[in-house]
């Protein structure tokens, strides 16, 4: 009887293990199918946006590209969104979209050229960046954290592994450690620049009032043009306090957006 019980217990255990294994496989397959379907859906919507743009339906194209960018941010999507917004006369939204394209991919030449043309046409200034913010814009924003972490581990590994493995110290090990340390030190200002540059945004609507206090009845210090840059300082209710080249004050949330969308 005892042997039968043990055999039955083993049989139940094997059955449960097999069921668990097959359920896990089906979950993985379902997840992969969901990812494939999602990618296909975004691709179809992107193509629909291109078709709408080519047909001259710029408002519809902008809506579709905006949805695609929200679902899966990509420099090409932001680039096309900026084109559609520009064609329908939304200068602020166009500049914001092209700036977001460069945030994702600083090597997006079309977005850079479009920004230069748009600012010359609308007589707008580019954001004033510090030296470390300029450096942070050389590579995609998320790369700097990986570079800092990778270079630091390279230094630690190069210095500690020879002692742990009782290797003889070599000149090339010290050279690699020095190179890793130099890269790490250079990546710190760039990483800081990414954080401060994420507070840069742009005015979306023309003649946006820059108010003294966060109320609709407050006096306007000046009026900002669509596409004008500013820095987000703090928020209160439905208003945000920004600093621009023409002063500081409060604007409504819907009239200002950050390049680094959160």
């Amino acid at each position: 009887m005892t042997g039968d019980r043990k055999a039955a217990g083993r049989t139940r255990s094997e059955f449960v293990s097999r069921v668990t294994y097959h359920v896990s496989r089906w979950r993985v397959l379902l997840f992969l199918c969901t990812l494939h379907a999602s990618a296909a859906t975004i691709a179809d919507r992107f193509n629909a946006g291109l078709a709408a743009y080519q047909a001259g339906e710029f408002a519809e194209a902008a809506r579709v590209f905006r949805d695609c960018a929200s679902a899966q941010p990509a420099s090409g999507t932001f680039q096309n969104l900026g084109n559609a917004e520009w064609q329908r006369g939304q200068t602020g939204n166009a500049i914001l979209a092209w700036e977001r394209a460069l945030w994702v991919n600083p090597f997006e030449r079309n977005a850079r050229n479009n920004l230069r043309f748009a600012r010359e046409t609308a007589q707008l200034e580019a954001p004033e960046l510090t030296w470390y913010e300029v450096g942070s814009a050389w590579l995609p924003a998320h790369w700097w954290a990986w570079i800092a972490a990778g270079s630091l581990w390279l230094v630690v590994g190069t210095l500690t592994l020879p002692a742990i493995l009782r290797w003889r110290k070599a000149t090339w090990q010290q050279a690699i450690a020095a190179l890793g340390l130099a890269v790490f030190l250079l990546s710190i200002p760039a990483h800081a620049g990414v954080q401060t540059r994420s507070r840069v945004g742009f005015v979306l609507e023309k003649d946006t009032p820059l108010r003294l206090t966060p109320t609709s009845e407050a006096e306007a210090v000046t009026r900002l043009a669509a596409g004008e840059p500013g820095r987000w300082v703090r928020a209160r209710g439905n208003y945000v306090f920004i600093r621009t080249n023409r002063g500081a004050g409060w604007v409504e949330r819907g009239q200002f957006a950050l390049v680094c969308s959160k």
Side-chain angles (χ1 to χ4, degrees):
M1 293 294 291
T2 304
D4 293 341
R5 289 178 180 176
K6 289 182 178 179
R10 285 196 299 269
T11 303
R12 285 195 296 270
S13 177
E14 292 175 358
F15 175 75
V16 171
S17 299
R18 289 177 181 176
V19 170
T20 303
Y21 170 74
H22 287 294
V23 169
S24 300
R25 285 187 61 190
W26 280 110
R27 284 180 176 175
V28 172
L29 289 174
L30 180 61
F31 176 71
L32 293 176
C33 290
T34 302
L35 287 179
H36 179 73
S38 176
T41 301
I42 293 175
D44 291 340
R45 291 163 65 186
F46 182 84
N47 291 331
L50 289 178
Y53 184 88
Q54 293 171 357
E57 300 174 358
F58 302 120
E60 176 63 17
R63 185 189 66 80
V64 174
F65 288 135
R66 192 178 299 108
D67 291 341
C68 292
S70 298
Q72 185 176 328
S75 59
T77 306
F78 285 124
Q79 161 66 18
N80 284 281
L81 173 59
N83 293 345
E85 295 285 12
W86 179 262
Q87 290 294 340
R88 72 190 194 102
Q90 298 296 318
T91 303
N93 287 297
I95 288 178
L96 175 66
W98 290 327
E99 286 283 357
R100 285 178 172 174
L102 291 179
W103 179 272
V104 176
N105 179 18
F107 311 112
E108 181 62 65
R109 185 177 300 176
N110 290 331
R112 195 176 301 278
N113 292 336
N114 288 343
L115 280 170
R116 188 180 298 111
F117 171 78
R119 285 180 171 132
E120 289 177 357
T121 303
Q123 297 183 347
L124 294 169
E125 296 180 354
E128 292 185 355
L129 303 178
T130 61
W131 64 269
Y132 52 89
E133 289 175 338
V134 172
S136 72
W138 292 345
L139 295 174
H142 64 280
W143 283 24
W144 292 110
W146 288 103
I147 291 174
S151 59
L152 178 61
W153 280 109
L154 178 64
V155 173
V156 173
T158 306
L159 294 178
T160 58
L161 280 179
I164 295 174
L165 300 176
R166 296 182 179 179
W167 290 348
R168 199 172 173 183
K169 287 186 177 180
T171 305
W172 66 268
Q173 296 170 353
Q174 296 176 353
I176 291 178
L179 177 62
L181 181 60
V183 172
F184 174 72
L185 293 177
L186 289 174
S187 67
I188 291 178
H191 186 63
V194 170
Q195 301 303 315
T196 56
R197 194 160 54 91
S198 67
R199 310 297 291 180
V200 174
F202 294 88
V203 177
L204 300 180
E205 300 178 8
K206 61 181 180 180
D207 294 328
T208 295
L210 188 68
R211 303 183 185 278
L212 288 173
T213 59
T215 59
S216 58
E217 297 82 12
E219 180 183 353
V221 178
T222 185
R223 290 190 174 272
L224 306 174
E228 195 164 338
R231 286 184 184 264
W232 178 305
V233 179
R234 61 182 181 275
R236 181 182 299 175
N238 195 39
Y239 288 83
V240 295
F241 187 84
I242 63 172
R243 296 188 185 278
T244 71
N245 295 336
R246 293 198 285 159
W250 299 87
V251 296
E252 293 185 18
R253 283 180 181 268
Q255 297 174 331
F256 185 83
L258 295 172
V259 172
C260 179
S261 55
K262 299 178 180 180

